[in-house]
Amino acid sequence: MRIDLSGKTVLVTGGARGIGAAISRGFAAAGARTAIHYVRSDLAAGRLAEEIGGGAQTFGADLEAPQACLKLWTEVVERFGRVDVLVNNAGVALPSPLEAVDDRWIADWNRTQAVNLLAAGILCRAAIAHFGAHGGGRIVNIASRAGHRGDTPDYFAYAASKGGLLALTKSIARFCGKDGIAAFAVAPGFTRTEMAQDFIDQYGEDYAMKDIALPRMTEPEDIAPTVVFLASGLADHATGSTIDVNAASYVR
């Protein structure tokens, strides 16, 4: 089966590195034009856009700031004219022990929710309005197995943010479908990225590997095909679903 997304425009947040970069490559391979969002990795984003071609362009925004999220969406629409798919991939995983001083713990919690959940909510809201005016569209939110099974005390905020993202996805699917909008979540487990490396450095790779049923850790390239498929229109009657891509480390 070949997925052809020629003529489609996709916004991938956090699209310059890790899972996001693999997703950007996957959409480009399917013929889509990709808006690659980045926060600080402007050089990586530029190199990736040049690599994948197809009219890919880069957009910088700090998603911790709500106004920056709104500006990002506006800039992508103004430059491309239309967006057909939104992939909320950008996220942070801040280690924040319960015994940390109050101010630090609260700041970590607020930053995690701002980037992982509020930014996704703002962009989903903008996408819903845009899709409703243009005959529909698709949203794929990159969540985590932590949104289902929880996480260690240092990552309570991360788990909570991903659980919220799953609920947001279901709500969009249930109440926006008549406008031609389908919404999905993908829930990876440990994936070999820079963000996951902090956890691996803290707990060890054996800890990261002990739950999985396969002989190697998930790579970003293992996530991307599922995202592209969900965005293709071939899975619209699975709207509201969460697809687990975690090597059976969490099985519902």
Side-chain angles (χ1 to χ4, degrees):
M1 178 178 63
R2 183 179 184 276
I3 293 174
D4 185 0
L5 294 175
S6 300
K8 302 295 185 182
T9 296
V10 182
L11 168 58
V12 182
T13 68
R17 301 188 306 164
I19 294 173
I23 291 170
S24 296
R25 289 188 179 96
F27 277 114
R33 180 174 55 176
T34 308
I36 303 169
H37 161 261
Y38 67 90
V39 180
R40 287 176 293 276
S41 43
D42 56 333
L43 293 177
R47 286 193 297 268
L48 180 61
E50 184 176 355
E51 171 198 330
I52 66 177
Q57 297 186 37
T58 65
F59 298 81
D62 181 356
L63 299 188
E64 188 175 2
Q67 289 302 317
C69 302
L70 295 170
K71 183 180 178 183
L72 169 64
W73 181 265
T74 299
E75 288 180 348
V76 174
V77 172
E78 287 179 348
R79 203 177 301 179
F80 287 150
R82 176 171 174 173
V83 176
D84 301 284
V85 178
L86 167 65
V87 180
N88 281 306
N89 165 76
V92 295
L94 305 177
S96 188
L98 294 177
E99 60 271 18
V101 297
D102 292 346
D103 288 348
R104 180 202 156 179
W105 192 88
I106 292 169
D108 288 344
W109 181 279
N110 286 337
R111 174 166 167 72
T112 300
Q113 306 310 314
V115 175
N116 293 5
L117 184 55
L118 178 58
I122 291 169
L123 289 169
C124 283
R125 175 175 176 261
I128 288 167
H130 181 78
F131 294 162
H134 290 85
R138 295 172 186 89
I139 296 169
V140 183
N141 292 321
I142 308 302
S144 169
R145 69 179 186 183
H148 295 292
R149 75 173 209 170
D151 215 323
T152 64
D154 288 359
Y155 291 91
F156 277 1
Y158 178 78
S161 71
K162 294 302 186 178
L165 193 58
L166 293 172
L168 172 64
T169 304
K170 294 172 185 177
S171 298
I172 294 168
R174 289 190 64 201
F175 295 104
C176 300
K178 293 293 195 297
D179 293 322
I181 298 167
F184 312 90
V186 174
F190 275 114
T191 306
R192 197 175 294 283
T193 63
E194 291 179 29
M195 189 171 78
Q197 194 61 48
D198 290 338
F199 191 101
I200 293 169
D201 290 344
Q202 183 177 0
Y203 290 94
E205 185 152 339
D206 287 345
Y207 184 93
M209 291 287 294
K210 70 177 183 179
D211 288 340
I212 73 172
L214 297 177
R216 63 171 179 84
M217 191 178 295
T218 304
E219 301 283 348
E221 292 74 20
D222 296 315
I223 309 296
T226 298
V227 177
V228 174
F229 174 67
L230 293 172
S232 70
L234 297 172
D236 281 358
H237 282 263
T239 187
S241 298
T242 298
I243 309 301
D244 297 310
V245 188
N246 59 49
S249 59
Y250 178 80
V251 181
R252 286 178 290 165

